[in-house]
Amino acid sequence: MTRAASSGVAEPPVAGPGPDERLARRSPLRRLLGRPELGALLGAVALFVFFSVVADAFLRAGSFSTVLYASSTFGIMAVGVSLLMIGGEFDLSAGVLVTSSALIAALTAYQLTLNVWAGVAISLVLTLALGAANGLLYVRTRLPSFIVTLATFFMLAGLNLGVTKALTGNVASDSVRDMDGFDSARAVFASDMDVLGVNVRITVLWWLLFVAVATWILLRTRTGNWIFAVGGSADSARAVGVPVDRVKIGLFMGVAFCAWFSGMHLVFAFATVQSGEGVGNEFLYIICAVIGGCLLTGGYGSAIGAAIGAFIFGMTNKGIVYAEWNPDWFRFFLGAMLLIATVVNLAVRRRVERTS
Amino acid sequence: MALATVGLLALGACSSEGGKKAEEEAEGTGARLKIAMVTHSAPGDTFWDIVQKGAKAAAAKDGAEFLYAADPDGGKQAELVQAQIDKRVDGIIVTLAKPDAMRDVLARATAAKIPVVSINSGQHESARLGAVAHFGQDETIAGEAAGAEMTRIGAKNALCVVHEQGNVGLEARCAGARKTFRGTMRNLFVQGANMPGVKSSITAKLQADDGVDGILTLGAPFAATAVDAVKEAGGDAKIGTFDLNRDLIASITSGAVAFAVDQQPYLQGYEAVDQLWLLRTNGNVLGGGRPVLTGPAIVTKENAGRLEAFANRGTR
């Protein structure tokens, strides 16, 4: 509730001489400390320096593009998930929704022998509908979003396998590699290019674009204010006229949009989609958002923070490989990092709240 | 002359290519080879532990450095392979459980002139994706062997317990077993990462259908679970399985499990590393462009005793 409480408050009488402390300008340093992404940014720099020192291969241009690619595949989802978390909700179905979206496109295009772009469009419509269904279920039942999306998570995981097996007789979708439109769709969703001798995957550019759009929505539009408001306190937000239900449904659809995009990347990067994949990824998206400064309770966070969180995640994910550490320990490092990041965020925020 | 050469070397007047140094490196006596293995294994899997032991043994013998990474998700496995290419390792060993996901990244390995060997799954895609050799078990042939064994132990109505969604190799095992099994065999899907869930699924199936008299599991730990499930549900369903581990040898000796179809994971790791070393040092390729089979090797009560010592140290 950091951004929505400024309007419509009557000015109380100013007691005594001197300027009103509420109108005082905050120093740039203090403003910086108040940003939700600060802890994550410090963490990212520290981690970058750390892996540069311990892993010879980490600083190579090729390695960096691999790290950025890994970050982007989580980061694109983290954009939608972080907005939803700022709005005070979870989506545990986000991981399998990516697979569902990819399967919808691959299966419809193949089974109906359509141009793959038709599959892409059908997938967009159905995936957004699934997101809206999550939102509607939440709004209608008033159950915690944790429970609602846990249910849809299982249902989607079952549907992914059941429908794929029923249609193809197999556990993966048939390859769409040689179908009409594959090459152009691949250029949009899964191509790569050389920039100054460095291989850059197109998902990295889309990721940056999505982060920019989400940041603009959050900080410069009325919708952004509404998102912070419903996450801070839904009842207060409703009382001042924010369309809480519409905002929440929209946020679930935002996650669905990101899932659709990630799903399209899967289809056009690999041509077939494994129906069992995606399980567990929802927690990785949430981790990215939390490392980036989003609060589990809602009302606080940023899309840029989630992007830095995804970058941290990508660096750790690949840094451990470049450093040639025993991968058995990977999850331990991941957990430790999550703990440190959230503790740092908490400390920074308490400090800011005490001093400002 | 030798002194002069040494002196020149010491002065740093080395040729960057060719010469004795290049020859020595090609022979493997120069810099240590760095060989990376990237599999689709979930963390903490016995089978892949044995593969790694084989690979490490070969690496130690060949004086090579062995690196390991794994992710069950096809896309993430491809990213891990890319990371090995970035590191410019001397050879990459991959599993092709999800061949389409590996296609582009293996093309990049070929472009970077890093030889690739595939193991375990994906024998049909191996050569097409640019691997020089494949070491594994033909899942259909292994399935057929298992189906024949199931018939031999007298089962008529059997279950094939599939523990990993999305792995075509497991589906092929069941299909192969169905081909040679003289009875009816149905697939039962269970979640391999959740053992209590596996047990309750099998128990429930046995309770629902008391005509089931045979269970074929596709991994050693699941055979032990199936034994428990049969005990819990009652009845006398006989159990056969794919793969082997220490506990399973004891179960086979005691008769709780009738047979195991071993694909000799140790060989897959060992041969793959050795193949890359041989390719580098002597230009050898095994298999003539066709998969080299490491199984099926059938383990029953008769030969289980001989393998016990090997299984105890975790290499069978």
Side-chain angles (χ1 to χ4, degrees), chain B residues 234-252:
Chain B
D236 54 353
K238 295 197 177 72
I239 296 158
T241 187
F242 281 80
D243 299 345
L244 202 61
N245 66 18
R246 189 196 310 186
D247 297 335
L248 193 61
I249 297 260
S251 302
I252 292 175

Side-chain angles (χ1 to χ4, degrees), chain A residues 57 60 62-63 66 69-70 73-74 157 161 165 169-171 175 177 186 192 199 201 269-272 274-278 281 284 317-318 321-325 327-328 331, chain B residues 34 43-44 52 65 67-76 78-80 82-89 97-104 108 165-168 171 187 189:
Chain A
R60 283 186 199 143
S63 310
T66 309
Y69 171 61
T73 55
F74 295 109
L161 182 65
K165 196 93 189 270
N170 212 327
V171 289
S175 173
R177 198 180 290 276
R186 190 179 176 117
D192 50 287
N199 181 281
R201 310 290 187 101
F270 305 129
T272 64
Q274 304 288 337
S275 59
E277 283 183 356
N281 284 353
L284 305 184
N317 203 319
K318 295 292 166 289
V321 180
Y322 291 122
E324 300 179 5
W325 289 346
D328 298 350
R331 289 183 180 187
Chain B
K34 200 179 258 188
Q52 282 185 70
E65 189 181 342
L67 305 169
Y68 183 79
D71 200 304
D73 181 299
K76 290 182 200 156
E79 280 176 27
L80 287 170
Q82 179 63 49
Q84 308 299 343
I85 298 171
D86 297 336
K87 278 197 313 207
R88 296 172 199 160
V89 295
K98 286 138 199 181
D100 279 298
M102 304 300 285
R103 182 177 151 134
D104 290 346
R108 283 196 204 103
Q165 296 180 355
N167 188 334
V168 281
E171 301 269 329
N187 287 10
F189 261 106

Side-chain angles (χ1 to χ4, degrees), chain B residues 265-276:
Chain B
Y266 188 85
L267 269 186
Q268 293 178 6
Y270 189 97
E271 290 296 326
V273 170
D274 223 26
Q275 164 66 79
L276 286 168

Side-chain angles (χ1 to χ4, degrees), chain A residues 197-280:
Chain A
V198 180
N199 181 281
V200 176
R201 310 290 187 101
I202 199 162
T203 50
V204 176
L205 304 180
W206 284 111
W207 176 38
L208 296 179
L209 177 70
F210 289 165
V211 171
V213 169
T215 305
W216 176 76
I217 289 175
L218 275 180
L219 299 183
R220 290 277 177 269
T221 68
R222 195 169 59 160
T223 313
N225 278 340
W226 288 350
I227 294 172
F228 279 108
V230 300
S233 165
D235 291 335
S236 316
R238 192 174 286 113
V240 297
V242 175
V244 174
D245 290 353
R246 262 169 53 208
V247 170
K248 297 229 169 180
I249 293 173
L251 287 172
F252 278 107
M253 289 176 76
V255 174
F257 177 81
C258 295
W260 167 75
F261 191 90
S262 306
M264 293 312 99
H265 175 67
L266 279 187
V267 173
F268 297 109
F270 305 129
T272 64
V273 184
Q274 304 288 337
S275 59
E277 283 183 356
V279 176

